[in-house]
Structures are given as C-alpha cells and as structure tokens.
Amino acid sequence: MPSDTDTAPLPLPEARRSTQIQILNGRFDALSADHAVEELIRTIRTGERGVLSTVNVAILMMMRSNPRLQRFVDASRWTVADGQPLVWASHLRQQPLPERVAGIDLIDQLCARAAQEGIGVYFLGADGETVRAAVAALQSRHRSLDVRGYADGYFGPDQAEARARAVADSGAKLLFVAMGVPRQEYFIEEQWENLGARVVIGVGGSFDVIAGRRKRAPALVQRAGLE
Ligand code: UDP
C-alpha cells in the first residue's frame, strides 16, 4: 500500500478552464453547482476526461499534512468548495466563489442530467447494502438513470485493478467513488488509466446519506455554514 508521502506522478489531466481562487492551501474553481454540472456533462460528451475534487476545511487541513492528497487535489481538473466557510473566505477576495458546491448535491444533479443525456453511471463505495440502497434511491428519483453497475468499497489492494476494470467494462462514463478521504483519492489516482470513465468524483460518505443511513445537517445548520 503506497504511503501518504509517495511521489508517484499524477496521471490526471491538468487542463483548467475556469477562474481559480486560492484559499489557504486550496485552489478553487469559481463554479456554481449548475455550471459545474454542465461543464462535467460537456466533458463527457466531448470525450475528454477529468477528476472533480470537492474540498472542505477538514480536507484542506488533511492536505497540509498529506502531500500526496495535496498533489491529487492540485492536479484535479476541477476543485469546488464543499463548505460555506470557504465561500465566506472567498468574499475577502476580489472574485468570490459563487456558492458552496456539495458533493452530495452534485450526485443528484448529475444523475438528473445523466438520465436526460443517456450517460451511463457507476457507483463504487460504502458497504454492499448501502451502495445498493443509494442506487435504488437515485433510480427512483431519476427513472431513466442508466446505472451501469455498482460495487462496495471494501477491497484489498490486490483487487483494486479488477474493480477499476469492472467500471471500464461497464461502459460507464461517470463514476462516483465513495470510500472516504484519502482512500478514494488514492484509488482514483492509482487506477486512473484502468477506470475508463470520463468524469470521476470522490464523494466521501455520500452514499450513506443518500441511502438514509446517515443524516445531513438540518438546512438551517447548512445555511449557517456549520455542516
Ligand atoms: N468506506 C469504503 N471502504 C473502506 C472504508 C470506508 O467504501 O475501506 C466507505 C464507508 O462505508 C463510507 C465512506 O467510505 O460510506 C466514508 O467512510 P468514513 O465515514 O469512514 O470516512 P469519512 O466520511 O470520515 O471520510
């Protein structure tokens, strides 16, 4: 298992298009959630590839002591701020971030657009029952969602390549990986060439929330920036 300080070169595409805003040790794209979703759909349609990282304050802190995670986020094609405090901090700059972009909201919005566009989606992470329940919940919300496959996120390093190739074989163009930070980032980095999917997003513990096994903070707390 590679350590946190491994210096393997990142195989991730580096192209960045939107305006970037530096907050502490993170560089964030000034994208609204709608804008981010359309950018990802456009990328899938044109056959390009990229990773989107959703970063909150806790992850920024983790990046400070984990150079491998810092490099991964720096090399992601898009980085969005998954926390109201980061959006507030950006208001001290000339060009603020338009809004918080939460991974869990992106999943729902992207599934809606993927269903419209006939884009195949794959869900990898959480335990088997949770990922199944999350997929069922998303399919009931987005009836024509083309779920190419799903699998739990509990596997050893010897199985990682097979898991990645299963995603590629499914033909999914959009992949959500919900294995917690930085486990999911290490997996995406190591398996990038085997995954096939065009857009890949690490979404932490989101499947647990979608499956109803973990609750989001109440809306008032989210608005107060305390989620
Ligand atoms: N998880 C996983 N594989 C693992 C460990 C965790 O798929 O080897 C999943 C776990 O089931 C949960 C998500 O990763 O759905 C986030 O896990 P955790 O809450 O431990 O991480 P955090 O949200 O604190 O980053």
Side-chain angles (χ1 to χ4, degrees), residues 7 28 33 35 43 52 72 87 101 115 148 152-153 160 191 208 212 219:
T7 52
F28 294 89
H35 196 159
T43 301
L52 180 139
F72 179 92
V87 176
V101 182
R148 291 303 177 100
D152 71 84
Q191 299 301 326
D208 299 68

Side-chain angles (χ1 to χ4, degrees), residues 34-46:
D34 286 352
H35 196 159
V37 166
E38 289 316 313
E39 174 65 10
L40 299 181
I41 297 292
R42 190 199 61 76
T43 301
I44 292 170
R45 280 225 214 87
T46 55

Side-chain angles (χ1 to χ4, degrees), residues 74-125:
D74 288 346
S76 299
R77 185 159 178 170
W78 311 274
T79 304
V80 293
D82 184 0
Q84 196 56 40
L86 294 171
V87 176
W88 287 330
S90 79
H91 281 268
L92 303 172
R93 316 269 151 162
Q94 265 181 346
Q95 195 178 14
L97 296 171
E99 62 180 348
R100 174 186 181 197
V101 182
I104 187 146
D105 298 329
L106 277 183
I107 296 177
D108 211 52
Q109 280 184 254
L110 276 166
C111 283
R113 292 288 287 119
Q116 283 171 353
E117 301 275 335
I119 291 169
V121 188
Y122 199 102
F123 300 83
L124 178 65

Side-chain angles (χ1 to χ4, degrees), residues 2-227:
S3 78
D4 286 356
T5 50
D6 266 7
T7 52
L10 275 179
L12 306 172
E14 308 242 359
R16 293 217 184 229
R17 295 210 174 82
S18 52
T19 308
Q20 292 209 303
I21 293 160
Q22 183 88 32
I23 303 170
L24 303 172
N25 53 319
R27 256 195 338 263
F28 294 89
D29 292 273
L31 291 170
S32 65
D34 286 352
H35 196 159
V37 166
E38 289 316 313
E39 174 65 10
L40 299 181
I41 297 292
R42 190 199 61 76
T43 301
I44 292 170
R45 280 225 214 87
T46 55
E48 296 167 53
R49 299 189 73 201
V51 171
L52 180 139
S53 290
T54 70
V55 172
N56 59 25
V57 174
I59 295 172
L60 275 184
M61 296 303 116
M62 209 189 284
M63 285 156 57
R64 272 203 198 284
S65 56
N66 182 338
R68 185 176 178 193
L69 182 61
Q70 176 80 51
R71 277 198 310 277
F72 179 92
V73 173
D74 288 346
S76 299
R77 185 159 178 170
W78 311 274
T79 304
V80 293
D82 184 0
Q84 196 56 40
L86 294 171
V87 176
W88 287 330
S90 79
H91 281 268
L92 303 172
R93 316 269 151 162
Q94 265 181 346
Q95 195 178 14
L97 296 171
E99 62 180 348
R100 174 186 181 197
V101 182
I104 187 146
D105 298 329
L106 277 183
I107 296 177
D108 211 52
Q109 280 184 254
L110 276 166
C111 283
R113 292 288 287 119
Q116 283 171 353
E117 301 275 335
I119 291 169
V121 188
Y122 199 102
F123 300 83
L124 178 65
D127 63 70
E129 219 176 288
T130 300
V131 65
R132 192 176 313 117
V135 167
L138 287 164
Q139 275 179 315
S140 75
R141 285 213 282 275
H142 311 289
R143 292 278 168 198
S144 52
L145 184 63
D146 178 12
V147 176
R148 291 303 177 100
Y150 59 87
D152 71 84
Y154 291 84
F155 51 85
D158 54 322
Q159 281 179 42
E161 185 177 333
R163 295 302 190 106
R165 291 195 186 281
V167 176
D169 292 346
S170 80
K173 300 288 181 259
L174 172 61
L175 167 66
F176 297 105
V177 186
M179 289 162 45
V181 181
R183 200 178 292 108
Q184 62 198 18
E185 284 73 19
Y186 295 170
F187 172 79
I188 295 166
E189 182 184 62
E190 284 161 20
Q191 299 301 326
W192 178 246
E193 294 302 335
N194 298 325
L195 283 169
R198 293 187 183 151
V199 166
V200 182
I201 309 180
V203 291
S206 295
F207 294 176
D208 299 68
V209 179
I210 294 169
R213 290 183 158 75
R214 208 194 275 183
K215 282 209 162 20
R216 280 193 84 168
L220 187 67
V221 176
Q222 287 179 39
R223 281 199 298 278
L226 299 172
E227 189 175 36

